[in-house]
Amino acid sequence: MPLPRRSRVAVPIAVAAAVAACALAGRGAPSADEIPRLRAGLRYLDDLRRPPAERLALLGWRRCEASPPLVPLATLPLLVAAGRGADAALVNVPFLVLLFLATSMIGRRLYSEEAGTAAAVVLAGFPALIRLAGRYLPEIPEAALAALCVAAALRARERRAPWGGAPAGALFGLGMLVRWDFALFCAAPAAHILLSTRGGALRVGPSRERAARLAVAAVVAAVVAGPWYLSNARRLAAAAVLHAPSVPWRPDAAALPMLILAAAGLAVAAARRRAHPALLLWIAVPLAGLPLAGVASADRLVPALPAAAVLAGGGLSLVGGGTARRLRLGAACAVAAAAMAWTALAPRGGEPPAEEAALADALGILLAREVPARGGDGAPVAISLFRVDPGRAGGETFLYRIERGGMRAVFAPPEEARLVFARVSDDADRAALEAWGRPWALLSTAGSGPLPDGSAAVLCRVALTRRRKYDAHLLAFETGTQRPADETGGPARFAGREDDPPGAVAATPPHPLEGGAYAARVRMRYDRAAAGAVAAVEVRAGGAAVVRGEVEAGDPLRAGRYGTVTLPFALHARSAAEVAVLHLGAADLRIESIEIVPAPPETEHQSTTDRHGCSPPQSTQRTRRMVFAADPRGLSRIEQDGLSDSSVVSVISVAARHLPAFHFQPWMHADPRG
């Protein structure tokens, strides 16, 4: 006895509602796999608030995301209506309804009314479907569009007009905008159906009508999905890697009853010669193709579950008749209902630890007080972490909690951060935080708050220090040796005129600095100098030479006496600067210390040519030569600025930018005591 017409719709919708209730009830924090997609949804929401002329990026054609844009776009109405804090997994509810309606329709068209209803109920019993229905992941939308595409292809097969394949092509294109592997699930079964006759037979020579139907579907699919794939073709080609077949699929033990039902239905359908080839292709192609793409998770096979459910319902509907058949179908539905209840009550995994969630919430609250909310165009604030482990999500959970509040942030190394987020338990932790920042920054507390375990979350502002002094004998070097203190100075790096090859006799590690004017100050001594330059000082930032100066022999930097040479330089933006003293092989050098300080006042400017006789380019025509008298009384101006504690002076000429820059070699090493 056929079911009432209204039951064709009511039963699948009721089953979908039950699955959604089981999946979303008690949903906890988003898992690590969901966070990147949740952040992408917020990016699209920010795009929606752009000026109208810039909203084309909303379609995803100009955006290079980690995955195609359909799911974030489908989430936009929810985020607009309920705000940035809405549970994006609710977007699965309409897709679940479409999935169960399409599965029931496929079962009715291929087998019978009872088979369609049974297929919808059996589908609800697969644990992976229920588990993923409560997660903001692409499997549920992909499964829904796969079932709709196959159902549309079955509908198109009943029409003679070639344009009948257009709906199936449009649905296929939308599926490709969910994830690239949609083609593995849907291309073969949809093509088989469009090329087959109404009875399901695939003839060797398809008629012109069937070929035109398939061509129309392919053209429509290309129009829908092509723009995004063309705009991201280079990135997708770079990411495409063929893997060796991965480990065999290992389904969840809770799915065994449903797999047994599907296998029994397949066996019966095959015995009756009613196992539709499209359903077999729907399952077999992804089973063979996904391992070659390096996919070994059984959850990725969720888009093929409608085919298994239809085989189960259809196969069982072919055995017997009347009351016995309905009893068998009822028993299968009872098994599916029990499996659904078991999955709903089972403990769930994949959520971030409660400790990580509490830290992320604390960071979001503290940051909201410190940084005003900014849209998608605002520059993200750079944050460094101290004694905070963002977990396996790589910090994505932290960033999502912040962005959900309307701010953008990125994690950065300490020298690039504007804020530092720390977790401290006692005064020792606070002292460790201060000691951690002391070499490169001044940390001031912007806010703090308690954590559930009794510790405190602290947010600190970062002010980079403008001064740093290094003992040369502890620094990295390429050439020379270490010498102990003598009557003229402390421990030093030494490079002999004849004994040591040219190279860096001492080089500082990168020291982060804000943009501004600075000076590199080197306390050094030379002996047995040849004519011309005895050494060079080079400042580098961001991997490129900023300025290079050559130290010349003669008055007032005299042989046998320590003096301090000063090389001014400027940084246009925050960068890590490093200073190297270069041995040129023209003198015996002793380097005692290297210091970075705010720039001293310039006392004399003059235009010259460099020592090679080359005129600097116009933009750097003025070469700076700094000279201070050897009399200690002449240093009062420097001492007022806090820049010198020496009574000896320096002479340094700053060469033009076109002089050859020193390049650090990978074999530079540090003194073991450093």
Side-chain angles (χ1 to χ4, degrees):
M1 176 179 177
L3 293 174
R5 182 174 294 272
R6 66 181 59 182
S7 297
R8 299 178 181 180
V9 176
V11 172
I13 290 179
V15 174
V19 171
C22 293
L24 297 173
R27 170 171 156 79
S31 65
D33 295 330
E34 296 175 80
I35 294 296
R37 293 174 173 84
L38 290 168
R39 295 183 63 204
L42 295 179
R43 293 286 190 273
Y44 280 93
L45 181 63
D46 294 335
D47 284 342
L48 187 63
R49 296 170 179 170
R50 292 173 181 263
E54 301 179 14
R55 290 182 185 171
L56 184 61
L58 178 67
L59 299 177
W61 312 143
R62 296 181 181 175
R63 180 180 286 278
C64 185
E65 292 287 357
S67 58
L70 182 64
V71 175
L73 288 176
T75 314
L76 273 182
L78 176 65
L79 295 178
V80 171
R84 301 175 71 92
D87 188 355
L90 291 172
V91 77
N92 286 336
V93 175
F95 283 110
L96 282 171
V97 173
L98 294 174
L99 171 61
F100 283 96
L101 285 173
T103 302
S104 177
M105 183 186 302
I106 295 170
R108 289 199 314 270
R109 290 189 178 276
L110 293 181
Y111 295 101
S112 64
E113 295 283 349
E114 293 89 347
T117 302
V121 178
V122 169
L123 179 62
F126 284 96
L129 184 80
I130 301 174
R131 183 171 59 251
L132 293 176
R135 295 296 182 190
Y136 186 65
L137 294 171
E139 277 80 4
I140 298 300
E142 188 177 13
L145 288 170
L148 286 170
C149 182
V150 172
L154 288 171
R155 176 82 178 208
R157 192 176 63 178
E158 300 174 357
R159 300 180 178 179
R160 286 187 172 275
W163 53 264
L171 290 166
F172 187 90
L174 291 175
M176 290 298 295
L177 291 178
V178 174
R179 196 157 53 188
W180 67 267
D181 63 5
F182 183 84
L184 293 177
F185 293 96
C186 206
H192 183 280
I193 292 171
L194 292 175
L195 289 176
S196 64
T197 62
R198 186 169 182 176
L202 180 62
R203 296 180 179 175
V204 176
S207 69
R208 182 177 303 176
E209 175 187 320
R210 295 194 296 273
R213 196 165 53 198
L214 179 60
V216 168
V219 169
V220 173
V223 170
V224 173
W228 187 87
Y229 281 91
L230 287 176
S231 63
N232 295 281
R234 182 174 300 179
R235 177 180 63 87
L236 294 173
V241 178
L242 189 64
H243 295 261
S246 55
V247 297
W249 301 103
R250 286 182 252 181
D252 188 356
L256 288 179
M258 309 313 300
L259 294 177
I260 293 173
L261 275 178
L266 174 59
V268 173
R272 299 292 183 92
R273 297 185 178 181
R274 294 287 303 276
H276 200 284
L279 299 178
L280 301 179
L281 290 172
W282 195 346
I283 297 173
V285 173
L287 270 175
L290 286 177
L292 296 178
V295 177
S297 172
D299 288 348
R300 290 289 291 272
L301 289 174
V302 163
L305 293 182
V310 171
L311 282 172
L316 295 178
S317 69
L318 296 175
V319 181
T323 304
R325 181 176 60 184
R326 285 192 288 272
L327 287 176
R328 281 190 293 274
L329 291 175
C333 293
V335 172
M340 183 173 64
W342 175 269
T343 305
L345 296 175
R348 306 183 183 185
E351 299 179 3
E355 177 184 354
E356 179 181 324
L359 280 170
D361 287 337
L363 175 56
I365 293 171
L366 293 174
L367 194 62
R369 301 172 186 169
E370 179 68 15
V371 181
R374 57 189 74 201
D377 291 330
V381 59
I383 304 174
S384 185
L385 301 177
F386 175 76
R387 290 191 176 175
V388 174
D389 182 8
R392 73 183 183 93
E396 295 279 357
T397 300
F398 283 73
L399 295 177
Y400 171 65
R401 298 294 181 99
I402 297 167
E403 292 170 359
R404 194 173 58 177
M407 296 164 290
R408 288 188 60 197
V410 295
F411 290 128
E415 63 271 12
E416 300 176 8
R418 300 290 178 179
L419 298 169
V420 170
F421 180 63
R423 176 182 181 181
V424 297
S425 301
D426 49 29
D427 292 340
D429 287 348
R430 294 181 183 275
L433 173 62
E434 182 181 355
W436 175 72
R438 187 179 299 117
W440 55 276
L442 299 175
L443 303 181
S444 58
T445 302
S448 62
L451 293 172
D453 62 354
S455 60
V458 179
L459 188 68
C460 298
R461 303 184 189 96
V462 176
L464 295 181
T465 55
R466 293 169 55 85
R467 183 187 306 270
R468 183 70 193 271
K469 186 174 183 179
Y470 301 91
D471 292 329
H473 69 285
L474 300 178
L475 295 177
F477 60 92
E478 286 185 330
T479 187
T481 58
Q482 182 176 307
R483 291 294 175 89
D486 58 17
E487 66 278 2
T488 62
R493 290 291 309 166
F494 173 82
R497 175 177 171 180
E498 291 90 7
D499 299 333
D500 296 307
V505 66
T508 69
H511 180 62
L513 298 170
E514 299 284 0
Y518 298 90
R521 306 181 70 243
V522 180
R523 180 169 171 81
M524 60 178 294
R525 161 187 160 187
Y526 74 90
D527 297 282
R528 299 193 307 124
V534 298
V537 180
E538 185 174 275
V539 178
R540 300 173 65 85
V546 175
V547 69
R548 171 183 172 128
E550 293 184 342
V551 182
E552 298 179 353
D555 189 38
L557 186 62
R558 298 180 179 176
R561 298 175 57 184
Y562 271 102
T564 302
V565 298
T566 304
L567 176 62
F569 66 95
L571 300 175
H572 298 293
R574 176 182 283 203
S575 184
E578 46 192 322
V579 181
V581 182
L582 309 181
H583 172 51
L584 304 180
D588 294 340
L589 295 182
R590 288 177 180 264
I591 312 300
E592 187 178 80
S593 64
I594 302 176
E595 192 173 5
I596 299 176
V597 297
E602 299 181 4
T603 61
E604 181 182 347
H605 295 277
Q606 63 184 19
S607 178
T608 68
T609 59
D610 63 37
R611 64 184 297 267
H612 300 286
C614 301
S615 296
Q618 187 65 30
S619 62
T620 57
Q621 184 72 26
R622 301 189 64 83
T623 301
R624 183 177 301 127
R625 177 185 292 272
M626 307 193 66
V627 181
F628 299 102
D631 190 336
R633 292 173 295 179
L635 296 175
S636 57
R637 181 178 177 185
I638 305 176
E639 290 169 350
Q640 289 174 2
D641 289 347
L643 302 177
S644 177
D645 57 359
S646 172
S647 61
V648 188
V649 295
S650 63
V651 179
I652 185 166
S653 66
V654 182
R657 295 180 189 170
H658 68 280
L659 284 178
F662 173 75
H663 297 281
F664 294 101
Q665 301 297 326
W667 41 266
M668 177 179 285
H669 55 283
D671 189 283
R673 299 194 300 168

